[in-house]
Amino acid sequence: MSKEIIELVHELERDRGIEGDTLIEALEDALLAAYKKTPGATRHAVVELDRVEGDFRVFSIELPPDIEERLLEEARERVLTELEAAEVENGERSHVLVTDDDLDIDWSEIPDEKVKRADVTPDNFGRIAAQTAKQVITQRIREAERQIMYDEYVDRVTEVVTGIVQQAGDRNNVLVDLGKVEALLPRSEQVDGERYEQGSRIKAVITEVRSGTKGPQVILSRRDPELIRTLFELEVPEIADGLVEIRAVAREPGYRSKIAVESHAQGVDPVGACVGPRGSRVRMVVSELRGEKIDIIPWNPEPARFVAKALSPARVREVYLDDDAKEATIVTPDDQLALAIGKEGMNARLAARLTGWKIDIKSDTEFATEEADAAYVGDGDEVGEFTGRCSAVLSTGKRCPNAALPGSRYCGVPAHQELARKEAAGELPIEPEPDTGPESEETGSEAEAEELAGDEAGPEAEEPVAETQPEPEPEPEPEPEPEPEPEPEPEPAAVAEEAEVKEDETAA
């Protein structure tokens, strides 16, 4: 088996991509194990294979007793340490019998003058060596191929691959042929509503690569947002060239997705580039995703504008941001509230994932009501204390919803702090409080006095009423003046009547 083995090793190295050194080392280990099974084999031996001629020789190793005992002790401690580590990892106690014959000692650091080597190659070792070489080479070929495939696919995690569905009868597990290995598409990574027919071609994302006894196991996913990103890179040349970048992706697999795109070249419309002529590019992506709807949003560095755009197709009227809590309050027209929230909250949920902000959507009516209720506290005509909201009035005529800074009537917005500075410097008039001022105090004291007088008045209240009678006396004085005026009017009328009567009598 001299040159035939070397030729076989070189052929496997060319065809299978397996390193020749790996096969030769495996072959030497197998021949050593076969030699130790022969009668009269020495305790320590080594097999050396000539990599040019293909001849192999077995050499016995003899060591001084003290050195051999020390090497055996080191090998024994090494094996016990490995067993203890395995017990800690598995959580189970292992019962393994370790003998000196099973220990592999390392005499590589022993000087050559202290090691005695002798050629102990058996005469009838050719047939055993040939059978052992066949088994070892076959086994190592499989192991090497599995390792090669594992190393190839473990570096391709998060990459989109194209495969052919091999087995789709079992709904829980779908086998996909990737060429060199069969990948698994588990039920948890499948999209609801999709059907995978045998022989159909699909695209999926490699999410995990596991090393098993039967080779590497590749796990695919059709729910990963990276699938949308890669599909757009394949369909949009501007994204592949770096002129347009996909900044964020949010996805509800099987229903709706949102992507934020940004242009790095002047004159390139990122949304138009992704949509394509008459929507041809985005239509190809939707077709691969089996009809999943996609919203393309222009990226904006200003959070307020970006959040407003992320809620499209709904129209947004106002956006209020809380940078510390990373929260955004969105005000929409009453007829746009349902559209902004979406079916079962899908639109708002996708916008929150896309922007990274917690979004609270309110209608105009709801926001106006909450703004009025939160402005001041108290009941009746009595005005309570200020609740802590900023006193600034926005350009829309509504009050700023931000909280005022401690010791100030305004929030931390620079424009509102400028109002606070002008107000402190006296450049702006301070609005008078409803319950302050000399006039209000006087009227208030008089009103309180009258109320107290009315409350304390009892059956003896007639005297103060009599004392207060003189005050209304001047009021009836002007009344008699108009009374005499009508009195003279009837008198002349009566005199005229009497004169007429007398004239009639004389005439008679």
Side-chain angles (χ1 to χ4, degrees):
M1 54 172 240
S2 56
K3 292 187 178 180
E4 296 178 359
I5 294 179
I6 301 301
E7 292 177 358
L8 178 61
V9 169
H10 293 324
E11 183 179 354
L12 292 174
E13 187 175 4
R14 291 192 305 269
D15 298 343
R16 303 293 183 90
I18 303 174
E19 296 181 0
D21 295 341
T22 303
L23 290 175
I24 292 176
E25 291 176 0
L27 185 57
E28 290 176 351
D29 295 340
L31 293 176
L32 179 60
Y35 165 75
K36 288 185 177 182
K37 293 180 182 180
T38 59
T42 59
R43 184 174 184 180
H44 307 298
V46 62
V47 176
E48 295 181 0
L49 179 64
D50 188 355
R51 302 191 181 186
V52 178
E53 299 295 334
D55 296 333
F56 66 90
R57 308 299 296 176
V58 181
F59 296 94
S60 62
I61 303 297
E62 293 183 7
L63 300 171
D66 56 341
I67 296 179
E68 182 180 3
E69 185 63 27
R70 179 172 60 84
L71 295 178
L72 286 174
E73 186 64 25
E74 293 177 357
R76 189 180 300 108
E77 292 180 359
R78 186 167 57 252
V79 172
L80 292 177
T81 303
E82 294 176 356
L83 292 176
E84 290 176 359
E87 290 179 359
V88 173
E89 182 179 357
N90 299 331
E92 298 180 357
R93 187 173 181 82
S94 60
H95 303 277
V96 179
L97 180 61
V98 180
T99 62
D100 293 344
D101 295 337
D102 298 332
L103 296 177
D104 295 330
I105 64 176
D106 183 12
W107 59 81
S108 59
E109 298 180 359
I110 305 300
D112 295 340
E113 59 271 11
K114 294 184 179 181
V115 178
K116 295 181 179 180
R117 298 165 60 94
D119 189 353
V120 293
T121 304
D123 296 335
N124 59 347
F125 197 60
R127 183 179 57 84
I128 299 175
Q131 295 178 354
T132 305
K134 180 180 179 181
Q135 297 175 359
V136 169
I137 289 176
T138 304
Q139 181 180 359
R140 288 306 174 96
I141 286 174
R142 294 175 182 174
E143 294 177 358
E145 288 180 345
R146 293 170 185 171
Q147 186 64 30
I148 290 174
M149 288 188 294
Y150 178 80
D151 295 339
E152 177 183 354
Y153 284 97
V154 75
D155 296 334
R156 299 177 63 182
V157 176
T158 69
E159 182 180 339
V160 175
V161 294
T162 303
I164 300 176
V165 178
Q166 294 294 325
Q167 181 180 348
D170 186 3
R171 186 69 176 92
N172 294 328
N173 295 306
V174 176
L175 294 179
V176 181
D177 184 13
L178 300 181
K180 295 182 180 180
V181 66
E182 281 190 350
L184 181 66
L185 182 62
R187 179 68 182 89
S188 59
E189 298 297 337
Q190 299 176 18
V191 177
D192 298 337
E194 287 189 354
R195 294 293 179 266
Y196 309 102
E197 300 178 357
Q198 186 173 358
S200 61
R201 188 180 298 273
I202 63 171
K203 288 183 174 64
V205 182
I206 299 177
T207 58
E208 184 182 0
V209 179
R210 304 171 184 172
S211 179
T213 57
K214 297 182 180 180
Q217 188 176 19
V218 181
I219 308 300
L220 302 179
S221 173
R222 289 273 298 176
R223 303 175 63 91
D224 198 292
E226 190 67 24
L227 179 61
I228 294 181
R229 188 187 300 270
T230 304
L231 290 176
F232 271 101
E233 291 178 358
L234 296 175
E235 296 295 336
V236 182
E238 289 81 356
I239 296 179
D241 296 339
L243 301 179
V244 177
E245 179 185 359
I246 300 178
R247 296 295 301 267
V249 178
R251 186 185 182 195
E252 285 284 342
Y255 299 98
R256 197 180 195 91
S257 297
K258 290 179 180 288
I259 64 171
V261 293
E262 181 186 15
S263 175
H264 295 296
Q266 187 176 2
V268 177
D269 180 16
V271 178
C274 295
V275 173
R278 299 182 181 180
S280 59
R281 296 175 179 175
V282 71
R283 194 181 301 117
M284 293 296 294
V285 178
V286 172
S287 176
E288 178 63 33
L289 297 177
R290 313 290 175 90
E292 184 175 317
K293 297 180 180 179
I294 300 177
D295 295 337
I296 304 175
I297 310 298
W299 170 270
N300 198 307
E302 298 182 11
R305 295 182 181 274
F306 185 40
V307 171
K309 287 290 185 181
L311 288 172
S312 62
R315 299 193 312 273
V316 175
R317 189 180 298 273
E318 295 174 342
V319 179
Y320 301 101
L321 301 179
D322 185 356
D323 295 334
D324 296 335
K326 201 79 173 178
E327 296 181 357
T329 302
I330 309 298
V331 182
T332 63
D334 293 347
D335 59 343
Q336 296 288 311
L337 179 62
L339 185 60
I341 297 175
K343 183 179 180 181
E344 299 179 356
M346 184 181 300
N347 193 54
R349 188 165 55 251
L350 287 174
R353 293 179 189 173
L354 188 71
T355 59
W357 286 74
K358 184 179 179 181
I359 297 178
D360 183 17
I361 304 176
K362 299 179 182 179
S363 63
D364 277 341
T365 304
E366 182 182 1
F367 182 76
T369 303
E370 292 181 359
E371 188 179 42
D373 294 343
Y376 290 90
V377 295
D379 53 354
D381 297 335
E382 184 179 357
V383 179
E385 296 180 355
F386 183 58
T387 60
R389 284 187 57 192
C390 179
S391 300
V393 178
L394 304 177
S395 60
T396 57
K398 296 184 179 180
R399 192 169 173 181
C400 177
N402 298 332
L405 298 178
S408 176
R409 299 176 62 245
Y410 297 93
C411 64
V413 177
H416 299 173
Q417 283 297 305
E418 183 67 16
L419 294 177
R421 188 191 64 78
K422 291 183 178 180
E423 184 177 291
E427 299 179 9
L428 290 179
I430 301 178
E431 297 180 0
E433 298 292 339
D435 56 349
T436 58
E439 297 180 0
S440 61
E441 291 179 357
E442 293 177 2
T443 55
S445 61
E446 292 177 2
E448 291 177 359
E450 292 177 1
E451 290 178 2
L452 292 174
D455 294 340
E456 294 177 355
E460 299 178 355
E462 297 177 357
E463 295 180 359
V465 171
E467 293 178 1
T468 55
Q469 290 289 338
E471 294 180 359
E473 285 180 0
E475 297 178 357
E477 290 180 358
E479 294 179 357
E481 294 178 357
E483 289 179 357
E485 293 178 358
E487 291 178 357
E489 293 178 358
E491 291 177 358
V495 172
E497 291 178 356
E498 293 178 356
E500 292 178 357
V501 171
K502 291 179 179 181
E503 288 177 1
D504 294 339
E505 292 178 354
T506 53

